[in-house]
Amino acid sequence: MNENQRKESQLLTPENQDKKIEKDYSKYFEKVYEAPSLKDAKKRGKEAVQYHSDFTIPEEFKNMGKGRKFLIRTYGCQMNEHDTEVMAGIFMALGYEATLDVNEANVILLNTCAIRENAENKVFGELGHLKPLKLEKPDLLIGVCGCMSQEESVVNRILKKHQFVDMIFGTHNIHRLPNILHEAYLSKEMVIEVWSKEGDVIENLPKVRKGKIKAWVNIMYGCDKFCTYCIVPYTRGKERSRHPKEIIDEVRHLAAQGYQEITLLGQNVNAYGKDFKDMDYRLGDLMDEIRKIDIPRVRFTTSHPRDFDDHLIEVLAKGGNLVDHIHLPVQSGSSSVLKIMARKYNREQYLELVAKIKAAIPNLSLTTDIIVGYPNETEEQFEETLSLYREVGYDAAYTYIYSPREGTPAAKMKDNVPMSVKRDRLQRLNALVNEISAEKMKAYLGQTVEVLVEGESKKNPDVLAGYTTKSKLVNFIGPKSAIGTIVKVKITDTKTWSLNGEMVEETVEVR
Ligand code: SF4
């Protein structure tokens, strides 16, 4: 930060801030900065996806991080968690060190989530907490990235109310982090670089993975489904798949490093390969190859029922390292609501798909996402969700009250359902979710399960915790040496959301 910037930051007190914003605000979007546009983000052109694998740190930035520390706060889904791993990799390649202490950090990034209002409020709350730190340490760089940055309303709000933020960048250009940081160190104005274009695929970005046991592997980016409530197709761009070779090489590399589990990631993984112009290669083909790699567990998320094809079911039924757990968001049990949501399937089609998967994979664990209180959802329609939940007999569900997202079609719908009714529906649904989970857990009593041990239990360091292939949390007493391995545990007690047991055997041969 230069002298002018320092003075400017010091002048940025709550009293004079509004005046300054009044003066400066209009100029931002007229300048060189690239601002988000939901209108542009909605466009889906016919241009082929561009693949880049030439990422390098420019010579002049190589010492940028010397003597500096970074901290990234991550909100939202696994995709964001994985983006954070990539950004951490870039920071390290620039010579920065990681820290978990905000007071020690020279750069703080908030990697944000736009899926619900609640998630956005948390980020604005965090910015409020960081403001005094910025006033105290004007050299500190504060950045906002991730899905919220792709929204015009968010960028406008940051410009109006949080002008101490130094940089805003989006989901399509995290590979530009070195340039954005460089610009932020030199500029006395907020650096905004948000691309609304459809997005490319950037390979060979550095990564610092969070753990040594489980790893995320992106297989595709973006979403073209445009469910009427969802902001993701606007914030993450069009569907574009990584080449199978890149993915398979990454998984092989993870296997060689001793990772025990990988999760293939994408907003709509079942659309994998749809965008390939030169080959007919879909998720089933990819899973069939990954199945042969020597890694104990392979998962994938998130699925859209519409693209879940028979070949994929056939491959998943082969088992092996492909786990017997599928997350299959339904969102509502009412065909009328599903239509308004533009989910592109109805209740009957969803149930048929579930029946087909269950027939191919007996003892499957199925989990889902459900939104209650969609605009104008009637009591009868909500009860159809309850009945579908019972009929499928899910193992678990992420349940939410509908949250309007500016720029989406649903946000413009009139809504006659009072919040008290929505809350009541959520409670009733959650009671059912708990009831069925507790029943399913009871069936484990006396059984022996294979557990991938992830570490000490959060509640008790003397207890180890891990997950079964069906994603059931198991707590048990065992040696710390078991962490990172798959062990057999006999279940002695069951709770609604976890199992307790005793270790019976140390390492399980699962390959
Ligand atoms: S498929 Fe998923 S990510 Fe895509 S629009 Fe629908 S809810 Fe959003």
Side-chain angles (χ1 to χ4, degrees):
M1 184 177 272
N2 61 32
E3 196 49 34
N4 281 344
Q5 275 175 281
R6 193 164 293 115
K7 279 187 198 146
E8 178 132 333
S9 296
Q10 282 158 353
L11 287 172
L12 209 62
T13 61
E15 295 73 43
N16 64 15
Q17 197 184 32
D18 282 350
K19 245 195 233 154
K20 178 180 186 302
I21 293 161
E22 196 81 354
K23 183 168 67 94
D24 285 348
Y25 173 54
S26 60
K27 72 185 178 189
Y28 277 91
F29 290 146
E30 293 160 13
K31 298 193 68 168
V32 289
Y33 302 121
E34 293 176 69
S37 153
L38 286 186
K39 204 166 141 232
D40 290 345
K42 196 179 174 188
K43 290 181 193 154
R44 293 291 186 267
K46 298 238 178 296
E47 301 80 26
V49 172
Q50 299 293 314
Y51 291 86
H52 306 272
S53 53
D54 50 359
F55 177 84
T56 50
I57 301 284
E59 207 48 51
E60 70 264 35
F61 299 157
K62 283 207 168 133
N63 282 322
M64 186 192 278
K66 208 167 168 213
R68 289 172 167 153
K69 294 186 177 176
F70 74 94
L71 183 153
I72 309 176
R73 289 249 156 94
T74 312
Y75 303 81
C77 67
Q78 298 96 330
M79 193 67 87
N80 261 18
E81 297 271 358
H82 190 44
D83 283 351
T84 289
E85 294 181 335
V86 172
M87 289 190 284
I90 298 175
F91 271 116
M92 303 293 251
L94 289 167
Y96 287 83
E97 257 181 74
T99 178
L100 294 174
D101 180 351
V102 281
N103 296 306
E104 241 183 42
N106 304 98
V107 184
I108 299 175
L109 286 187
L110 305 185
N111 187 9
T112 63
C113 168
I115 205 86
R116 267 171 282 282
E117 196 181 354
N118 200 13
E120 293 204 354
N121 289 343
K122 274 192 202 156
V123 170
F124 285 117
E126 183 62 24
L127 282 177
H129 290 137
L130 290 174
K131 187 173 174 178
L133 192 66
K134 174 73 182 179
L135 292 175
E136 196 187 301
K137 288 173 63 181
D139 287 344
L140 170 69
L141 286 188
I142 295 180
V144 177
C145 57
C147 286
M148 278 171 70
S149 308
Q150 297 288 145
E151 298 179 276
E152 286 153 69
S153 57
V154 167
V155 174
N156 287 339
R157 182 166 164 187
I158 294 175
L159 281 167
K160 279 186 187 155
K161 303 221 156 118
H162 304 278
Q163 244 198 12
F164 58 91
V165 168
D166 300 280
M167 50 195 170
I168 306 178
F169 58 99
T171 57
H172 300 309
N173 54 335
I174 57 179
H175 61 288
R176 296 254 315 144
L177 182 56
N179 309 66
I180 294 164
L181 285 165
H182 177 70
E183 185 75 15
Y185 282 122
L186 297 180
S187 171
K188 70 182 182 108
E189 289 170 358
M190 195 186 296
V191 176
I192 303 170
E193 189 183 290
V194 183
W195 299 352
S196 300
K197 61 180 217 155
E198 294 164 338
D200 296 337
V201 173
I202 319 278
E203 293 293 353
N204 88 320
L205 291 172
K207 296 176 192 84
V208 176
R209 295 193 189 266
K210 211 169 154 194
K212 298 254 172 279
I213 303 169
K214 304 202 296 186
W216 313 111
V217 176
N218 275 124
I219 63 165
M220 64 174 300
Y221 306 92
C223 180
D224 289 345
K225 283 284 179 286
F226 287 100
C227 301
T228 51
Y229 53 86
C230 184
I231 194 75
V232 168
Y234 308 82
T235 60
R236 290 277 175 176
K238 76 172 176 187
E239 287 171 356
R240 52 209 194 276
S241 309
R242 289 179 72 199
H243 281 308
K245 184 182 175 311
E246 302 283 353
I247 300 167
I248 290 163
D249 284 353
E250 186 173 341
V251 176
R252 283 202 180 117
H253 185 61
L254 291 165
Q257 287 176 289
Y259 280 87
Q260 300 291 300
E261 179 176 307
I262 54 150
T263 302
L264 305 177
L265 280 185
Q267 256 85 30
N268 173 14
V269 286
N270 301 83
Y272 176 77
K274 267 183 155 183
D275 54 316
F276 291 145
K277 303 266 186 268
D278 50 351
M279 59 179 159
D280 183 14
Y281 190 97
R282 301 296 303 276
L283 184 61
D285 301 299
L286 181 69
M287 297 300 277
D288 210 13
E289 292 204 49
I290 290 181
R291 188 176 73 78
K292 296 169 197 150
I293 299 176
D294 192 11
I295 197 156
R297 291 183 180 184
V298 179
R299 302 179 185 277
F300 60 96
T301 196
T302 293
S303 280
H304 190 293
R306 168 81 180 212
D307 294 321
F308 212 111
D309 60 43
D310 289 353
H311 182 225
L312 176 62
I313 299 175
E314 210 178 283
V315 172
L316 294 177
K318 293 180 185 173
N321 61 2
L322 308 182
V323 300
D324 46 2
H325 170 213
I326 294 174
H327 187 70
L328 193 63
V330 65
Q331 308 300 2
S332 168
S334 154
S335 292
S336 318
V337 174
L338 289 169
K339 193 165 183 198
I340 300 167
M341 287 176 166
R343 288 290 290 175
K344 302 176 181 76
Y345 56 83
N346 59 30
R347 176 188 174 102
E348 288 67 37
Q349 288 164 331
Y350 183 89
L351 287 172
E352 256 171 50
L353 174 64
V354 167
K356 215 192 281 182
I357 301 173
K358 281 186 173 177
I361 312 168
N363 293 321
L364 174 80
S365 160
L366 205 59
T367 54
T368 197
D369 295 336
I370 295 176
I371 297 171
V372 299
Y374 209 62
N376 307 313
E377 180 193 59
T378 64
E379 174 62 21
E380 290 70 33
Q381 288 167 339
F382 169 66
E383 282 173 14
E384 286 184 79
T385 297
L386 294 179
S387 75
L388 180 126
Y389 197 91
R390 262 192 203 287
E391 191 170 338
V392 173
Y394 292 103
D395 284 66
Y398 295 103
T399 57
Y400 310 94
I401 291 179
Y402 164 70
S403 170
R405 305 287 61 223
E406 198 179 320
T408 60
K412 295 190 197 97
M413 293 176 194
K414 277 214 172 106
D415 187 3
N416 63 10
V417 188
M419 188 45 87
S420 56
V421 172
K422 295 183 192 230
R423 285 206 192 98
D424 177 63
R425 287 181 189 163
L426 183 67
Q427 267 182 15
R428 285 158 62 199
L429 175 60
N430 284 345
L432 178 63
V433 169
N434 289 351
E435 178 196 318
I436 295 183
S437 176
E439 268 170 30
K440 290 199 172 241
M441 290 303 216
K442 272 192 199 135
Y444 280 91
L445 201 59
Q447 282 192 30
T448 297
V449 293
E450 290 177 359
V451 179
L452 171 55
V453 190
E454 294 191 13
E456 293 165 359
S457 149
K458 283 186 192 129
K459 292 185 189 149
N460 181 354
D462 296 332
V463 171
L464 296 180
Y467 288 86
T468 66
T469 52
K470 291 181 165 48
S471 300
K472 306 287 181 198
L473 173 63
V474 182
N475 295 303
F476 64 99
I477 308 270
K480 300 272 191 269
S481 59
I483 295 172
T485 68
I486 295 176
V487 300
K488 284 196 174 173
V489 176
K490 185 163 184 203
I491 302 305
T492 52
D493 185 21
T494 71
K495 306 206 179 305
T496 303
W497 292 112
S498 62
L499 303 165
N500 292 340
E502 288 161 1
M503 198 173 111
V504 290
E505 195 181 304
E506 199 146 342
T507 302
V508 174
E509 188 51 60
V510 286
R511 298 181 185 194

